[in-house]
């Protein structure tokens, strides 16, 4: 039997890597779809577990901290105060108090929603002044829920209150505001924290619903992104050339306009001078005639 000779084709880098690239693209696209769908299914406007990185994001999807306070919150190792007593599930957090509001006033206001076991107004250990927040512990769970629902944004001593459940002992991973965590905040500070009652998470954009169902691997890969960026850059360059031509045209038209208006001003000045001379001639003629009549 003769040995059959087979033709061997050279294997290039393109033929060798193309299937691998397509498989990796489809794999990354599928993993992205699974990750996004999982994130959308687990999304909640209120944080169930406190994460400083997610709390610093408006929709809880940040993957990198955007300021140093978030870094401090991520590196903090906070342990709840063991000196705090009472049932955390029956305790409300009351903030934004008037500095002059006392424990008796809080007792009077919050006793309308149920029987109170204890009221603790937090004060400065040195000055004794109020820190403008307190904790109210009830005896029954229904009283807590009623106060949480009705006492929020209640005006006491001309200040609008903020009422929420206690987070320090009930929310896993809690980090206070002084360590870069917390919830809420003011826009002026630039360090808002989301995931609480004051500022809940916004629902993120569902990217999987925007992706076509019958997609091909090369529509969502890096090469398509490069092509889009190159196309955008070319459009920007073309727009820049058009702006340059427009500016040149505007400068030329400005020059022509300046010359036109200068000629117009000159002609108007000439007409005014000629009218003035005519009026002077008429006045001189009138004077001569009147003088001749008197003679």
């Amino acid at each position: 039997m003769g040995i059959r000779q087979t033709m061997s084709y050279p294997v290039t880098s393109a033929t060798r890597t193309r299937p691998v690239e397509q498989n990796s693209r489809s794999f990354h696209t599928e993993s992205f779809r699974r990750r996004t769908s999982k994130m959308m299914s687990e999304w909640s406007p209120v944080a169930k577990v406190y994460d400083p990185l997610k709390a610093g994001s408006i929709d809880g999807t940040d993957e990198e901290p955007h300021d140093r306070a978030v870094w401090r919150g991520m590196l903090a190792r906070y342990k709840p105060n063991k000196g705090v007593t009472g049932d955390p599930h029956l305790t409300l957090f009351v903030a934004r108090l008037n500095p002059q509001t006392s424990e008796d006033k809080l007792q009077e206001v919050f006793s309308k929603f149920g029987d109170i076991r204890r009221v603790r107004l937090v004060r400065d250990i040195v000055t004794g002044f109020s820190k403008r927040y307190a904790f109210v512990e009830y005896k029954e769970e229904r009283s807590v829920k009623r106060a949480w629902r009705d006492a929020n944004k209640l005006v006491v001593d001309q200040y609008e209150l903020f009422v929420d459940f206690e987070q320090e002992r009930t929310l896993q991973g809690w980090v206070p505001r002084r360590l870069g965590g917390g919830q809420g905040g003011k826009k002026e500070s630039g360090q808002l924290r989301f995931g609480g009652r004051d500022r809940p998470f916004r629902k993120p954009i569902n990217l999987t619903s925007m992706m076509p169902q019958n997609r091909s691997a090369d529509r969502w890969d890096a090469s398509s992104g490069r092509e889009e960026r190159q196309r955008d850059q070319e459009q920007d360059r073309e727009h820049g050339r058009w702006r340059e031509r427009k500016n040149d045209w505007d400068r030329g038209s400005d020059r022509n306009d300046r010359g036109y208006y200068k000629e117009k001003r000159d002609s108007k000045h000439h007409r005014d001078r000629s009218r003035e001379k005519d009026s002077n001639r008429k006045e001189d003629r009138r004077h001569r005639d009147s003088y001749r009549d008197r003679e």
Side-chain angles (χ1 to χ4, degrees):
M1 293 176 63
I3 299 175
R4 181 179 295 178
Q5 295 182 355
T6 58
M7 298 180 63
S8 60
Y9 294 95
V11 180
T12 62
S13 59
T15 59
R16 185 172 57 252
T17 59
R18 186 173 300 154
V20 178
E21 289 180 356
Q22 291 180 355
N23 293 335
S24 64
R25 292 167 189 167
S26 60
F27 171 75
H28 289 305
T29 307
E30 281 299 327
S31 63
F32 171 77
R33 178 182 287 275
R34 287 195 299 270
R35 189 168 63 251
T36 307
S37 60
K38 182 181 178 182
M39 179 185 65
M40 294 300 298
S41 62
E42 296 178 353
W43 179 84
S44 174
V46 179
K48 300 177 182 178
V49 177
Y50 190 82
D51 185 355
L53 179 60
K54 292 183 178 180
S57 171
I58 192 171
D59 55 1
T61 59
D62 278 5
E63 297 182 355
E64 293 183 0
H66 59 81
D67 59 22
R68 295 182 179 179
V70 176
W71 272 114
R72 288 193 293 111
M74 294 171 62
L75 299 175
R77 296 294 180 266
Y78 178 73
K79 295 181 179 180
N81 187 2
K82 295 181 179 180
V84 177
T85 59
D87 190 349
H89 299 284
L90 298 179
T91 305
L92 288 179
F93 170 71
V94 184
R96 302 172 186 171
L97 295 171
N98 190 319
Q100 306 300 326
T101 302
S102 61
E103 289 91 341
D104 297 336
K105 184 65 175 181
L106 292 175
Q107 182 85 24
E108 177 187 350
V109 172
F110 283 89
S111 61
K112 301 175 183 177
F113 307 105
D115 295 333
I116 295 177
R117 181 171 296 166
R118 192 165 68 100
V119 175
R120 182 168 64 93
L121 179 63
V122 180
R123 297 181 179 273
D124 189 273
I125 59 175
V126 178
T127 62
F129 294 151
S130 171
K131 287 191 174 182
R132 299 184 59 196
Y133 67 93
F135 295 92
V136 179
E137 183 183 356
Y138 284 92
K139 295 181 180 180
E140 297 179 350
E141 185 178 357
R142 60 181 181 180
S143 302
V144 176
K145 293 182 178 179
R146 190 184 303 119
W148 180 84
R149 183 184 66 245
D150 299 335
N152 189 42
K153 296 185 179 180
L154 188 68
V155 177
V156 177
D157 293 338
Q158 300 178 354
Y159 277 66
E160 189 178 88
L161 304 184
F162 171 72
V163 179
D164 198 2
F165 297 114
E166 182 188 342
Q167 306 287 351
E168 181 180 6
R169 295 179 291 170
T170 58
L171 188 61
Q172 182 182 354
W174 172 256
V175 178
R177 187 71 180 184
R178 67 176 184 272
L179 297 180
Q183 290 175 344
K186 295 182 179 180
K187 275 185 180 178
E188 294 78 10
S189 65
Q191 295 182 2
L192 298 177
R193 296 294 180 266
F194 301 89
R197 186 180 190 182
D198 188 26
R199 294 185 181 275
F201 288 127
R202 293 187 183 179
K203 194 166 186 179
I205 300 174
N206 190 358
L207 298 178
T208 56
S209 63
M210 300 171 61
M211 296 173 62
Q213 297 297 327
N214 55 350
R215 69 194 186 285
S216 59
D218 56 347
R219 291 188 63 181
W220 292 88
D221 58 357
S223 61
S224 61
R226 283 196 299 271
E227 292 175 358
E228 292 179 0
R229 288 195 297 272
Q230 292 175 359
R231 187 161 56 250
D232 294 340
Q233 291 174 0
E234 183 63 29
Q235 291 178 358
D236 293 340
R237 284 195 292 269
E238 185 64 29
H239 184 66
R241 298 191 197 101
W242 178 83
R243 286 182 63 87
E244 291 178 359
R245 289 197 296 269
K246 184 176 182 301
N247 292 336
D248 294 340
W249 182 82
D250 290 341
R251 284 194 291 269
S253 63
D254 290 343
R255 296 192 199 99
N256 296 335
D257 292 343
R258 287 196 294 270
Y260 168 74
Y261 285 116
K262 186 175 183 302
E263 294 177 358
K264 193 172 182 180
R265 286 197 304 271
D266 294 343
S267 61
K268 183 179 179 181
H269 180 67
H270 179 72
R271 287 196 302 271
D272 294 341
R273 291 293 300 275
S274 60
R275 288 173 184 169
E276 185 179 356
K277 290 180 180 178
D278 293 341
S279 62
N280 292 336
R281 291 195 194 96
K282 291 179 182 177
E283 189 70 24
D284 294 341
R285 191 178 301 111
R286 193 179 302 111
H287 286 308
R288 285 198 299 272
D289 294 342
S290 62
Y291 180 74
R292 189 178 301 111
D293 293 338
R294 284 199 301 272
E295 285 183 348

